[in-house]
Amino acid sequence: MGAWVTLLATIAGASIALAGQHVARRRDSRTRIGELLLEQCAQVVGLSDDFRVRVWEERELGLRGRVDTWDLSGYRHAAARLKILCDDAALLDALEEMTEAGKELGRYWRRGGADPAEIEARRDRDKLARQRFVAASAGLVRRRLTAG
């Protein structure tokens, strides 16, 4: 009888250990995905800010070629990684809105748009879109990193 109790206790202990390892692996995986999302969101926001500053430098400081040397490829790669990692509709909508606002600002500026009111309107739309993206990404990343 004692051998059966020992055997059952061993099986129960092993089952508990395996379940614990499974839960820990899932938590670590969620944390890693949350960290990757954080990195890509920060990359997208940083590159978007950089673009907006470059437009300002050309417009206000008269520096030439600043927009032309912006890292469009880096932005596209970070945005693509976000689309692959994330299925959150609010974040993806905010990313799309920010991308479109940046395109509209860049398109107007590169075509020689000189109307100060139009430039400001496009910069304001870009800024609001970026703020919406930051809010959406912050909420998602916090949820992912604090989820048990």
Side-chain angles (χ1 to χ4, degrees):
M1 181 70 149
W4 286 108
V5 171
T6 302
L7 180 60
L8 286 174
T10 302
I11 292 171
S15 297
I16 291 170
L18 289 173
Q21 287 177 350
H22 176 71
V23 168
R25 265 190 252 124
R26 284 192 61 189
R27 185 189 65 236
D28 290 347
S29 177
R30 285 184 64 87
T31 300
R32 178 66 182 138
I33 290 171
E35 290 168 348
L36 288 170
L37 283 171
L38 173 62
E39 290 171 17
Q40 298 317 305
C41 288
Q43 182 77 9
V44 166
V45 170
L47 286 166
S48 179
D49 282 339
D50 182 49
F51 178 74
R52 194 165 174 265
V53 167
R54 287 169 183 263
V55 169
W56 179 86
E57 289 173 341
E58 285 191 9
R59 179 176 167 220
E60 299 296 324
L61 303 178
L63 300 176
R64 298 289 166 226
R66 298 291 294 144
V67 170
D68 295 337
T69 60
W70 179 66
D71 187 9
L72 176 59
S73 176
Y75 181 88
R76 286 179 175 166
H77 281 103
R81 284 187 212 89
L82 274 178
K83 291 174 185 176
I84 291 167
L85 286 169
C86 178
D87 61 356
D88 184 77
L91 181 110
L92 295 175
D93 288 346
L95 175 63
E96 184 64 27
E97 181 183 338
M98 185 173 68
T99 299
E100 286 305 311
K103 283 180 184 178
E104 289 299 317
L105 173 61
R107 185 176 299 123
Y108 186 76
W109 182 252
R110 287 184 177 117
R111 289 183 177 163
D115 179 12
E118 185 65 27
I119 292 171
E120 281 307 308
R122 290 172 190 257
R123 286 188 73 205
D124 289 346
R125 178 178 175 232
D126 183 59
K127 182 179 179 180
L128 290 173
R130 189 172 35 267
Q131 289 171 345
R132 180 175 171 234
F133 177 78
V134 168
S137 61
L140 176 66
V141 169
R142 283 188 197 112
R143 285 191 307 273
R144 291 278 175 105
L145 291 178
T146 59

